[in-house]
Each structure stands twice: as structure tokens, then as C-alpha cells.
Amino acid sequence: MMIFTCEEHIDMAIDEYVDETEQAPDVMFVDNSEKLCRFCKKKAVYAVGC
């Protein structure tokens, strides 16, 4: 599971990941990504997952 998120919604992404997997996620900085935030559709800055 991988959740892409903007800086504003990183907390929501971490909470969602933990709720679904019951594990702590890796949080990676996404550089030059065309991915969009799962919550607001702005450009993603982080990838939350394993």
C-alpha cells in the first residue's frame, strides 16, 4: 500500500496507513513526482507506505 500526499495531509496519510495495516509506515520524500495527493489532488510531496 502506498499513499501519495501533499505536506498538508501527511498526518491523515499516516493515520490511514496505520489504521489499514496496523504497522508503522515508511515516509519518503517524492522529488519531481507527477503523483497527486490522495486527499486534495495537489502535487504529492510524500509517499507513505512500505
Side-chain angles (χ1 to χ4, degrees):
M1 172 182 201
M2 188 70 66
I3 301 171
F4 292 94
T5 181
C6 66
E7 194 166 330
E8 181 180 345
H9 294 111
I10 185 71
D11 293 337
M12 290 174 64
I14 292 170
D15 289 345
E16 183 176 315
Y17 185 89
V18 171
D19 287 346
E20 290 190 23
T21 66
E22 297 181 359
Q23 296 179 16
D26 291 331
V27 177
M28 296 155 280
F29 180 72
V30 178
D31 191 26
N32 260 347
S33 174
E34 294 183 10
K35 299 288 186 179
L36 300 177
C37 176
R38 179 183 199 140
F39 305 99
C40 71
K41 305 304 181 204
K42 291 181 185 174
K43 185 176 177 182
V45 179
Y46 297 104
V48 177
C50 54

